[in-house]
């Protein structure tokens, strides 16, 4: 039997808790062993530590990651970093400097300058960092991408993503960085549905449009975007983004947290001979222009368990590369940043179109925008920007290119000032 991958996890709350659960199940199957973890509020997680059997498993607990790495790095293979986005760069660098492979939660950063620094820091690493975009390793997804590249469906014309994820007001109050554009000392945060909560799906769209080889992501010729908010937050909770690739494929994204009820998402790939609809966790539907229809149900996919296991294969030399590297994340970060540059301001959705919805079972309040799905559909299928629906932004936003990234900091600072 191969020895288990020895792991340290930074954090115990939030998404880190899901990594702890996944690693425990992997440990039961002898794939992994959790050596240590840390959290500034470690004492507050006494119940979780007991639930996860830290005592019986011999897990060492620390209050900060520097102390943990100083004490334990020599006995680790992998550092897992599921922490707030603005802490990723320093923690990634520390892991690499201690000679460890790093599993870095998505997004790696939302600052294109910081991403390039992280890429440079990763170059001397023994093993490339994995960025945890969850769905790239799905076998049906990879098989379908292979069919796209083979030309079976004809030329790729468009890829659409629509997603509405209900988030209560309390979601934006859960910590000091949620929904914020900028932090201390002018540091970019850019937390949003596009850059954070739904980043997996945005990255998926870029994967569909990646040319030439299976593990590729779209390049961007130009980007246009309009950003809005319904919640009283510094950042945006609703995004309309359009990007064009050098191959003249059009990518459109309509995402929002300003909704109530059941959350939904769908990825649509429009080709010369077929339209493909991919819904994670549900099904693939291929509608051919000649009338044929293929429907394939998707089997349950345990995202963190499978992504951990796939990265372990790479660490053991059983596969050639991680599913998504820092370099593979470049188009995602640039797309996110250019959306802010194109939008220039964050529009406020008219209060006449926003309703507060009380979920008595959850005891939480949601904001819901009237006709949101219609506005999203008109954008995706007709290129009608929200201004056409009375969202007080007439016309269409300017197209911006890579050279406009230098304007990002100033634009975001102006947005933060309101």
């Amino acid at each position: 039997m191969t020895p288990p991958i020895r792991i340290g996890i930074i954090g115990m709350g939030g998404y880190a808790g899901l990594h702890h659960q996944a690693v425990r199940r992997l440990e039961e199957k002898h794939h992994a062993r959790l050596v240590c973890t840390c959290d500034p509020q470690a004492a507050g997680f006494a119940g979780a530590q007991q639930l996860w059997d830290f005592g019986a498993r011999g897990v060492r607990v620390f209050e900060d990651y520097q102390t943990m790495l100083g004490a334990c790095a020599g006995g680790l293979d992998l550092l897992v970093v599921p922490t707030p986005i603005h802490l990723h760069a320093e923690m990634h660098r520390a892991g690499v400097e201690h000679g460890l492979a790093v599993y870095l939660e998505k997004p790696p950063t939302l600052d294109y300058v910081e991403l390039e620094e992280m890429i440079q820091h990763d170059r001397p690493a023994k093993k490339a960092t994995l960025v945890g975009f969850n769905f790239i390793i799905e076998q049906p997804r990879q098989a379908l991408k292979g069919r796209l590249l083979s030309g079976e469906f004809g030329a790729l014309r468009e890829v659409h993503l629509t997603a509405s994820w209900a988030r209560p007001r309390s979601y934006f109050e859960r910590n000091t960085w949620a929904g914020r554009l900028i932090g201390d000392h002018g540091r970019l945060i850019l937390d949003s549905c596009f850059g954070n909560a739904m980043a997996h799906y945005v990255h998926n769209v870029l994967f569909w449009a990646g040319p030439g080889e299976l593990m590729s992501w779209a390049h961007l010729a130009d980007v246009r975007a309009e950003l809005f908010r319904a919640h009283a937050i510094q950042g945006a909770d609703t995004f309309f983004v359009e990007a064009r690739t050098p191959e003249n494929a059009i990518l459109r994204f309509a995402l929002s947290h300003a909704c109530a009820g059941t959350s939904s998402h769908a990825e649509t790939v429009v080709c010369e001979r077929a339209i493909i609809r991919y819904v994670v966790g549900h099904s693939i539907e291929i509608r051919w222009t000649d009338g044929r229809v293929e429907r394939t149900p998707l089997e349950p996919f345990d995202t963190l368990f499978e992504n951990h296991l796939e990265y372990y294969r790479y660490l053991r030399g059983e596969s050639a590369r991680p599913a998504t590297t820092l370099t593979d994340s470049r188009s995602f970060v640039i797309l996110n940043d250019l959306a802010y540059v194109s939008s220039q301001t964050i529009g406020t959705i008219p209060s006449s179109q926003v309703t507060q919805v009380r979920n008595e079972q959850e005891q939480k309040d949601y904001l819901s925008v009237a006709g949101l799905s219609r506005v999203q559909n008109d954008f995706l299928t007709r290129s009608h920007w929200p201004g056409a629906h009375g969202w007080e932004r007439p016309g269409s936003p300017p197209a911006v290119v890579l050279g406009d990234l230098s304007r990002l900091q100033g634009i975001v600072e102006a947005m933060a000032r309101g």
Side-chain angles (χ1 to χ4, degrees):
M1 293 179 62
T2 56
I5 298 295
R6 301 167 299 172
I7 296 172
I9 300 177
I10 301 181
M12 284 184 268
Y15 207 70
L18 299 181
H19 277 274
H20 277 282
Q21 294 173 32
V23 168
R24 184 181 182 186
R25 286 183 284 123
L26 287 157
E27 192 168 302
E28 291 168 353
K29 296 181 180 295
H30 310 291
H31 295 300
R33 181 169 72 84
L34 182 63
V35 174
C36 55
T37 188
C38 63
D39 196 287
Q41 307 296 325
F45 290 97
Q49 294 177 45
Q50 185 175 8
L51 180 66
W52 296 330
D53 294 327
F54 277 6
R57 294 163 65 196
V59 178
R60 298 181 65 182
V61 177
F62 299 84
E63 292 189 350
D64 66 86
Y65 77 92
Q66 294 99 332
T67 303
M68 181 183 81
L69 290 175
C72 301
L76 297 178
D77 303 302
L78 171 62
L79 180 68
V80 180
V81 184
T83 59
I85 303 163
H86 57 283
L87 300 179
H88 283 184
E90 64 182 72
M91 293 176 174
H92 165 260
R93 183 171 184 172
V96 171
E97 289 178 347
H98 277 87
L100 303 176
V102 179
Y103 184 141
L104 183 67
E105 255 311 321
K106 63 77 193 162
T109 174
L110 292 171
D111 179 346
Y112 75 98
V113 173
E114 188 169 71
L115 177 66
E116 294 305 317
E117 293 170 352
M118 294 171 75
I119 289 171
Q120 290 304 314
H121 292 149
D122 210 53
R123 292 198 191 283
K126 295 177 183 177
K127 290 291 185 177
T129 290
L130 169 70
V131 182
F133 289 103
N134 282 343
F135 301 108
I136 297 303
I137 67 168
E138 287 182 300
Q139 290 306 304
R141 182 181 300 278
Q142 294 204 3
L144 193 55
K145 173 77 178 281
R147 293 173 70 183
L148 282 165
L149 292 173
S150 75
E152 180 181 352
F153 306 112
L156 176 69
R157 291 175 173 168
E158 299 184 3
V159 189
H160 302 163
L161 171 64
T162 179
S164 295
W165 280 19
R167 291 294 183 267
R169 287 182 170 180
S170 57
Y171 173 83
F172 299 101
E173 300 167 353
R174 71 191 192 281
N175 54 46
T176 59
W177 54 267
R180 293 195 64 80
L181 295 169
I182 206 157
D184 295 339
H185 310 295
R187 186 168 187 178
L188 296 179
I189 296 177
L190 305 181
D191 180 56
S192 73
C193 56
F194 192 95
N196 189 8
M198 304 180 196
H200 296 295
Y201 304 120
V202 175
H203 190 64
N204 290 349
V205 168
L206 295 167
F207 179 72
W208 291 129
E213 59 185 25
L214 180 64
M215 301 306 285
S216 62
W217 283 261
H219 298 288
L220 305 172
D222 56 57
V223 174
R224 298 193 296 160
E226 287 189 351
L227 279 53
F228 296 88
R229 64 167 73 89
H231 293 86
I233 58 176
Q234 188 183 66
D237 56 33
T238 302
F239 279 63
F240 295 84
V241 181
E242 180 180 280
R244 185 174 57 88
T245 73
E247 298 79 24
N248 282 317
I250 301 298
L251 316 180
R252 291 197 184 98
F253 308 80
L255 315 181
S256 183
H257 281 327
C259 53
T262 304
S263 297
S264 63
H265 111 281
E267 302 163 29
T268 303
V269 184
V270 181
C271 298
E272 183 182 9
R273 293 194 287 270
I275 297 177
I276 304 162
R277 183 177 172 87
Y278 196 109
V279 181
V280 168
H282 187 267
S283 64
I284 305 169
E285 180 183 85
I286 303 174
R287 290 188 172 271
W288 296 83
T289 55
D290 63 11
R292 288 177 293 148
V293 179
E294 293 181 36
R295 292 188 180 90
T296 306
L298 291 172
E299 298 296 324
F301 181 70
D302 190 334
T303 56
L304 288 184
F305 184 96
E306 295 296 340
N307 275 278
H308 267 268
L309 195 56
E310 182 65 20
Y311 192 43
Y312 301 170
R313 294 188 184 104
Y314 164 70
L315 297 183
R316 292 179 175 129
E318 298 166 11
S319 61
R321 51 159 292 155
T324 299
T325 65
L326 285 163
T327 301
D328 297 330
S329 305
R330 189 179 270 139
S331 290
F332 168 80
V333 175
I334 289 172
L335 175 62
N336 179 80
D337 291 358
L338 286 179
Y340 288 88
V341 176
S342 175
S343 187
Q344 298 184 42
T345 61
I346 299 175
T348 299
I349 299 174
S351 59
S352 61
Q353 299 188 36
V354 180
T355 302
Q356 178 173 299
V357 179
R358 178 69 173 177
N359 185 311
E360 294 296 345
Q361 182 176 358
E362 297 179 359
Q363 291 293 293
K364 293 180 179 178
D365 294 318
Y366 293 80
L367 295 184
S368 180
V369 175
L372 176 63
S373 61
R374 175 169 53 89
V375 178
Q376 290 179 321
N377 185 66
D378 278 358
F379 173 69
L380 294 175
T381 61
R382 299 181 180 89
S383 268
H384 291 173
W385 293 87
H389 296 269
W391 282 26
E392 301 178 357
R393 290 193 60 166
S396 60
V400 294
V401 298
L402 291 180
D404 292 307
L405 282 170
S406 60
R407 299 164 53 203
L408 176 67
Q409 185 77 31
I411 286 173
V412 171
E413 289 176 356
M415 285 178 171
R417 290 193 297 269

